[in-house]
Amino acid sequence: MKPRILVTGGTGYIGSHTVVELQKAGYPVVIIDNLSNSNAEVLDGIERITGIRPDFVEADCTDMTAVRALFDKYTGIKGIINFAASKAVGESMQKPVLYYRNNLNTLMNLLDVMAERDVKGIVFSSSCTVYGEPDVNPVTEQSPIKKATSPYGNTKQISEEIITDVINAGAPFKSVILRYFNPVGAHPSAEIGELPNGVPQNLIPFLTQTAIGIRKELSVFGNDYNTPDGSCIRDYIDVVDLAKAHVIAVERMLDDKSPEKIEIFNLGTGNGLSVLELINTFETATGVKVPHKIVGRRAGDIEKVWANPKHANEVLGWKAETPIADTMRSAWAWQCKLRERGIM
Ligand code: UD1
């Protein structure tokens, strides 16, 4: 029997895909989520894919009493994967205290409870946002950390520092910090996917909502960047590929395979794609047109960033495998499923 894993934010977008991969690998999972940006029906989707309903506690990780109660009820938790966080860049500019409180208090509570309850390791969701506008692409884990341009980005940088300080101070556990590039797509079963509240801020949910007719037109934010077609370049990583890396990371800590107490990995494909290229790929892969127009730049956008994933490839034995066309098809199938169910 494999040890139990606590997945915070496990009904969210990346969290739910990771729960599926953990269960497929034989780990019993308990999810804690306050459902602030997700809903409990995600548990049905996970169960339909894996045949197993994960244990679920509806609570906020900033509530230490609730976190301790979870550990009292679900014994034997040996690993934590922490997805519980607020993640909208724009909202973080409006509500910085909310972001600092949610993201940092959650992390500090988890670090405290790990020491109290003999948890061996924590996987932390970080972001390529820590690199800001890189001087050189692709970025490696040694690329300089740039000053964060939003409270959201700052919470990722500060969280990495908190974990480092706590472990350097002799905490009895390990950590793997995963810096995601741009996670996109959905589970190929179309049972789980991204479900943003309100008007999507991120490219793919806006694109699929436009393709299905919920939005009139996708705005491409700028075509005057210093890139081949003038639109911004990102490294779009399939969410299932990303989820699989978490299973490897958690296993690494539980099996004491890592020589270091803290490890950091970039999770990307290594390929940069422009906004216009991505729209094109979606249209070719699905046969569905996406009405779009070029508008001005979005404040705070990075011109180009993509990963050098060599460290994760070599050390974790992990590699992004899903072709981007398949990822676009899974994003589209998920959007169609939401329509079928009358959700959107
Ligand atoms: C941002 C954050 C990242 C965070 C991610 C998910 C920064 C620098 N990046 O990534 O840390 O993890 O959101 O919340 O803070 N675009 C359009 N039209 C749209 C929407 C987007 O053209 O309607 C373009 C953007 O200009 C960008 C690309 O699409 O070039 C991707 O945008 P988005 O999906 O919002 O992600 P990032 O801004 O890269």
Side-chain angles (χ1 to χ4, degrees):
M1 183 76 174
K2 293 195 175 175
R4 203 192 296 272
I5 308 297
L6 172 63
V7 181
T8 76
T11 55
Y13 174 43
I14 308 172
S16 57
H17 290 81
T18 299
V19 170
V20 165
E21 296 308 318
L22 284 167
Q23 291 186 332
K24 280 168 67 177
Y27 288 95
V29 172
V30 55
I31 293 174
I32 180 170
D33 202 304
N34 64 4
L35 302 181
S36 63
N37 195 22
S38 61
N39 63 66
E41 281 161 34
V42 172
L43 302 170
D44 302 331
I46 294 172
E47 189 175 359
R48 281 194 293 269
I49 298 169
T50 63
I52 304 164
R53 195 171 186 83
D55 289 315
F56 173 62
V57 174
E58 183 180 343
D60 197 310
C61 294
T62 61
D63 175 357
M64 190 56 162
T65 309
V67 172
R68 288 203 178 103
L70 182 151
F71 274 83
D72 290 340
K73 181 166 177 193
Y74 298 97
T75 53
I77 293 170
K78 288 291 161 208
I80 298 180
I81 307 183
N82 180 28
F83 296 104
S86 301
K87 63 167 187 178
V89 175
E91 185 189 44
S92 80
M93 310 281 229
Q94 314 299 323
K95 301 176 185 167
V97 172
L98 175 82
Y99 273 67
Y100 288 113
R101 181 177 293 128
N102 275 354
N103 297 4
L104 301 182
N105 285 358
T106 289
L107 176 65
M108 291 186 288
N109 280 350
L110 295 174
L111 294 172
D112 272 345
V113 87
M114 287 176 76
E116 290 169 16
R117 308 294 176 117
D118 192 28
V119 181
K120 294 182 85 168
I122 181 166
V123 179
F124 180 74
S125 301
S126 190
S127 166
C128 69
T129 195
V130 302
Y131 301 117
E133 180 79 62
D135 302 322
V136 181
N137 275 298
V139 292
T140 70
E141 292 78 0
Q142 280 70 47
S143 296
I145 302 293
K146 298 280 181 71
K147 184 168 167 40
T149 52
S150 70
Y152 160 77
N154 209 19
T155 66
K156 294 298 175 193
Q157 294 191 1
I158 297 170
S159 294
E160 289 196 3
E161 288 173 0
I162 291 173
I163 292 171
T164 308
D165 288 347
V166 168
I167 288 185
N168 286 342
F173 49 77
K174 292 185 170 183
S175 181
V176 176
I177 292 170
L178 300 177
R179 292 179 180 157
Y180 312 149
F181 282 67
N182 285 56
V184 289
H187 195 270
S189 65
E191 292 290 358
I192 54 172
E194 191 171 6
L195 192 51
N197 277 338
V199 181
Q201 304 299 311
N202 294 116
L203 179 58
I204 289 301
F206 202 104
L207 184 157
T208 57
Q209 289 191 13
T210 306
I212 210 160
I214 298 170
R215 315 272 159 211
K216 195 165 134 266
E217 175 168 68
L218 168 70
S219 296
V220 174
F221 297 137
N223 68 346
D224 56 351
Y225 285 100
N226 182 24
T227 61
D229 66 22
S231 63
C232 292
I233 294 179
R234 297 286 183 277
D235 186 334
Y236 295 94
I237 166 86
D238 187 273
V239 68
V240 175
D241 286 342
L242 190 68
K244 289 178 179 165
H246 293 75
V247 181
I248 300 172
V250 94
E251 229 146 48
R252 204 171 156 74
M253 294 185 298
L254 296 183
D255 299 349
D256 263 325
K257 278 189 244 166
S258 49
E260 310 291 338
K261 291 190 83 180
I262 311 175
E263 294 184 301
I264 301 181
F265 297 98
N266 282 343
L267 295 183
T269 66
N271 297 316
L273 270 187
S274 75
V275 177
L276 292 170
E277 284 172 326
L278 195 67
I279 296 172
N280 214 350
T281 307
F282 178 90
E283 293 185 334
T284 310
T286 62
V288 180
K289 286 282 167 206
V290 183
H292 61 277
K293 63 168 182 216
I294 310 289
V295 301
R297 294 180 175 198
R298 178 172 70 175
D301 262 341
I302 302 297
E303 182 171 275
K304 44 181 180 278
V305 58
W306 66 94
N308 179 340
K310 195 165 169 260
H311 189 51
N313 296 165
E314 289 177 355
V315 177
L316 296 180
W318 170 90
K319 202 169 184 322
E321 284 169 344
T322 312
I324 187 69
D326 289 359
T327 304
M328 292 300 101
R329 279 189 280 269
S330 70
W332 179 234
W334 168 244
Q335 184 68 63
C336 294
K337 181 60 81 73
L338 291 174
R339 168 60 52 89
E340 205 181 292
R341 292 204 191 130
I343 298 170
M344 268 191 192

